[in-house]
Amino acid sequence: MSEIAEKFGIKQALKDLGLEEINNGTSTGKDFFSNGEIIPSYSPVDGALIGKVKSTTKEDYENVITSAEAGFKQWRTWPAPQRGEVVRQFNDELRRLKEPLGKLVSYEMGKSYQEGLGEVQEMIDICDFAVGLSRQLHGLTMHSERPGHRMYEQYHPLGVVGIISAFNFPVAVWSWNTALAWVCGDACIWKGSEKTPLTSVACQNIAARIFAENNVPAGISSLITGDYKVGEMMTNDKRVPLISATGSIRMGKIVAQAVAARLGKSLLELGGNNAIIVTPDADIKNTVIGAVFGAVGTCGQRCTSTRRLIIHESIYDQVRDAIVKAYKQLRIGNPLDENNHVGPLIDKDAVKNYQKALEKVVEEGGKILVEGGVLQGEGYQSGCYVKPAIAEAKNEFKIVQHETFAPVLYIMKYSGEISDAIEIQNGVVQGLSSAIMTNNLREAEHFLSVEGSDCGIANVNIGTSGAEIGGAFGGEKETGGGRESGSDAWKIYMRRQTNTINYTTELPLAQGIKFDL
């Protein structure tokens, strides 16, 4: 255990989460211990080895899917409020273990401790939502055109749900899916990121304990571990009717094609290239706060991170100078130290992509306003700490069109009306999150209108990053079109059925058709 890990209580957190010995049990109720390759987990905070797990083999996967299918046949018969009660107890454990799980998220992924706690809070919030939802899985009743008939819709559990999550939100996105899928009556198989395997095992340990106490059938919460080849086992498996995948656009296209080829369902949350429009009527102070946090929070590794700042030419110099000044105040370092604003990137591959982006923007004619670079020396021994950078650029630059998962902010001007800014904002292939900073009601409403932002999330006077549980989360275009979390996102985890009941002694046919025998 490293000096930083000892100082900030990581050893105790691992103990609290049942991770003193990692056996990689993959299924609640029945443990399948893998014989796969070792996956080490190194912290980007200090480069230290935290622990090791074993990857899932084909034989392991078959055991897991068999258990999940069998468990689903029992779980779907439980009344939804009873399933909700199990989720409530799981939620109580998350509340009790919020601090150690938040610390592990911070240490294994590299986001600030406060963001780690915030991610666990998202888990708690979605469980609260799911518990209430367990008593509201409602359909519709409609009038039949035939006398003495009643029509209605109802929703039934879908089956086994496959979840593929990314390293940047190693626990929250899983919970967005599982909390809803569990109350809907589904079994879940989760392939967490191989870059953050210990947080996945920690969550599985919590679920396993609660499920065992409630005699939940084995296989309702299962974990598989490994690289893309392990994910392919699920995406190509007809026994998994829904695949929910979070990651890059490239990955999403591969998943979508594989699932579509077998006529399965996919829920995709892919790349973002999110912009904030700053109009002449913007509150500059709030603009700076929203833009800086959006660009550097989680070291720029959120799908909702602010990548582009589109500023009206009349206030361009003022906003640019304020942002540059704010960047000079950023403190970069150990994310477990709450005095720091920015932690490390996930690994050295991410660092290389960051460096290439800064080189590319200059090659295409951009100008660096805040210098980037890799930090070295004491406190930065992992080699994953970089300086958040700002570059003046044009929207049509290839590198600006590409999502770089790092703290690189591109700023650009617009002239004319708000429609001109919206055209720039919409001029990328991604469509996840967007924002406008303005105190002009007409501009705000235009931005939210059918002629406005083409993104799944559109905010006024807040930044692009972050989302509340109550609203459906997701994006359009090459972001994938999926919706998770709140609103009616639960419906994708169920199958819809239309029912007609004839309570008469006659059998009238629709549209007045006669068929007498």
Side-chain angles (χ1 to χ4, degrees):
M1 190 64 63
S2 71
E3 182 179 339
I4 286 178
E6 289 281 2
K7 179 178 178 181
F8 289 92
I10 300 301
K11 184 176 182 179
Q12 183 61 46
L14 292 173
K15 182 178 180 180
D16 292 341
L17 296 168
L19 296 179
E20 291 177 292
E21 295 182 7
I22 306 300
N23 292 319
N24 196 30
T26 55
S27 177
T28 57
K30 183 178 181 181
D31 291 331
F32 300 116
F33 299 107
S34 174
N35 293 312
E37 297 179 356
I38 294 292
I39 301 176
S41 177
Y42 294 96
S43 172
V45 175
D46 56 8
L49 177 66
I50 314 172
K52 302 176 183 179
V53 302
K54 289 184 177 180
S55 61
T56 300
T57 66
K58 181 63 176 177
E59 181 182 1
D60 299 330
Y61 176 77
E62 285 300 320
N63 287 331
V64 167
I65 189 68
T66 299
S67 179
E69 283 191 304
F72 166 68
K73 291 179 180 179
Q74 299 178 52
W75 183 237
R76 65 184 178 182
T77 67
W78 287 40
Q82 289 186 18
R83 299 192 294 256
E85 168 58 19
V86 176
V87 173
R88 185 195 65 77
Q89 293 177 37
F90 174 71
N91 196 11
D92 286 345
E93 277 297 278
L94 290 177
R95 283 184 163 88
R96 186 177 70 84
L97 296 170
K98 179 178 178 179
E99 182 176 326
L101 185 55
K103 280 187 178 180
L104 179 59
V105 168
S106 177
Y107 189 59
E108 188 173 38
M109 185 269 150
K111 63 176 60 177
S112 73
Y113 177 46
Q114 287 301 317
E115 288 184 273
L117 292 174
E119 186 168 348
V120 181
Q121 185 61 49
E122 285 190 39
M123 301 176 75
I124 292 167
D125 292 343
I126 193 62
C127 286
D128 282 341
F129 183 90
V131 172
L133 181 66
S134 68
R135 295 180 182 272
Q136 300 182 70
L137 300 173
H138 51 75
L140 297 174
T141 299
M142 62 281 293
H143 291 283
S144 171
E145 65 185 40
R146 290 167 287 185
H149 286 58
R150 181 166 71 89
M151 292 180 63
Y152 67 94
E153 292 178 341
Q154 62 178 333
Y155 288 83
H156 293 303
L158 187 62
V160 179
V161 174
I163 301 163
I164 301 172
S165 63
F167 72 86
N168 60 329
F169 281 86
V171 296
V173 173
W174 168 72
S175 69
W176 289 1
N177 286 273
T178 51
L180 300 188
W182 285 339
V183 299
C184 288
D186 299 323
C188 295
I189 301 177
W190 176 26
K191 195 202 90 64
S193 172
E194 64 271 27
K195 296 181 180 182
T196 52
L198 301 185
T199 52
S200 301
V201 177
C203 291
Q204 179 66 9
N205 282 350
I206 299 171
R209 185 166 60 253
I210 297 301
F211 282 20
E213 291 174 0
N214 287 273
N215 296 314
V216 172
I220 300 306
S221 179
S222 300
L223 177 67
I224 57 177
T225 307
D227 60 14
Y228 71 94
K229 294 179 182 178
V230 175
E232 286 178 345
M233 296 179 192
M234 287 199 303
T235 57
N236 294 312
D237 193 339
K238 291 183 178 181
R239 296 168 293 183
V240 185
L242 171 65
I243 296 290
S244 175
T246 302
S248 67
I249 291 173
R250 184 189 67 82
M251 179 275 282
K253 289 181 177 180
I254 295 171
V255 170
Q257 291 178 47
V259 176
R262 58 180 177 83
L263 297 181
K265 298 167 66 176
S266 58
L267 192 170
L268 302 174
E269 297 288 357
L270 310 176
N273 197 344
N274 316 295
I276 298 177
I277 296 172
V278 187
T279 81
D281 289 314
D283 181 314
I284 303 301
K285 178 182 177 181
N286 286 343
T287 296
V288 172
I289 294 172
V292 173
F293 176 74
V296 309
T298 323
C299 202
Q301 296 172 113
R302 293 182 174 214
C303 51
T304 55
S305 290
T306 303
R307 310 288 179 200
R308 298 174 294 144
L309 205 57
I310 305 167
I311 309 167
H312 192 271
E313 60 182 1
S314 65
I315 57 168
Y316 181 82
D317 291 350
Q318 181 185 1
V319 176
R320 177 199 60 199
D321 293 347
I323 295 286
V324 169
K325 181 180 178 181
Y327 266 53
K328 293 178 181 178
Q329 302 174 49
L330 292 175
R331 292 187 295 272
I332 308 165
N334 173 14
L336 291 164
D337 183 343
E338 296 181 54
N339 291 314
N340 293 323
H341 299 114
V342 184
L345 289 170
I346 186 65
D347 56 27
K348 292 182 180 178
D349 286 339
V351 173
K352 291 177 183 177
N353 289 332
Y354 157 86
Q355 293 173 310
K356 289 178 182 178
L358 293 177
E359 293 170 2
K360 187 66 176 176
V361 72
V362 173
E363 290 175 7
E364 293 192 62
K367 178 183 177 181
I368 301 295
L369 297 179
V370 175
E371 293 286 343
V374 182
L375 294 170
Q376 299 176 336
E378 185 177 354
Y380 306 121
Q381 58 266 36
S382 69
C384 297
Y385 290 88
V386 301
K387 300 176 184 178
I390 301 176
E392 285 184 316
K394 294 182 178 180
N395 202 56
E396 58 266 29
F397 287 0
K398 289 183 178 179
I399 190 59
V400 175
Q401 292 284 314
H402 174 76
E403 179 192 34
T404 300
F405 229 51
V408 179
L409 177 65
Y410 304 112
I411 67 172
M412 57 199 74
K413 295 179 184 178
Y414 82 93
S415 57
E417 303 300 321
I418 187 62
S419 57
D420 299 304
I422 291 172
E423 184 176 357
I424 295 172
Q425 182 212 273
N426 293 348
V428 294
V429 298
Q430 307 89 347
L432 180 51
S433 187
S434 58
I436 186 172
M437 294 294 185
T438 182
N439 289 323
N440 184 311
L441 178 62
R442 289 178 176 174
E443 289 179 334
E445 290 294 339
H446 189 136
F447 178 74
L448 300 176
S449 75
V450 69
E451 297 178 303
S453 171
D454 64 3
C455 295
I457 298 170
N459 298 327
V460 176
N461 291 332
I462 61 171
T464 61
S465 63
E468 291 189 37
I469 289 301
F473 179 89
E476 301 300 319
K477 302 190 292 189
E478 291 193 10
T479 298
R483 291 297 186 274
E484 294 174 321
S485 188
S487 187
D488 65 348
W490 61 270
K491 291 181 178 179
I492 197 167
Y493 305 99
M494 305 195 83
R495 58 182 178 88
R496 186 195 306 230
Q497 186 179 80
T498 301
N499 307 113
T500 304
I501 298 174
N502 175 8
Y503 55 89
T504 74
T505 59
E506 304 292 331
L507 185 56
L509 303 178
Q511 289 84 43
I513 295 173
K514 301 295 183 181
F515 191 75
D516 297 326
L517 293 176

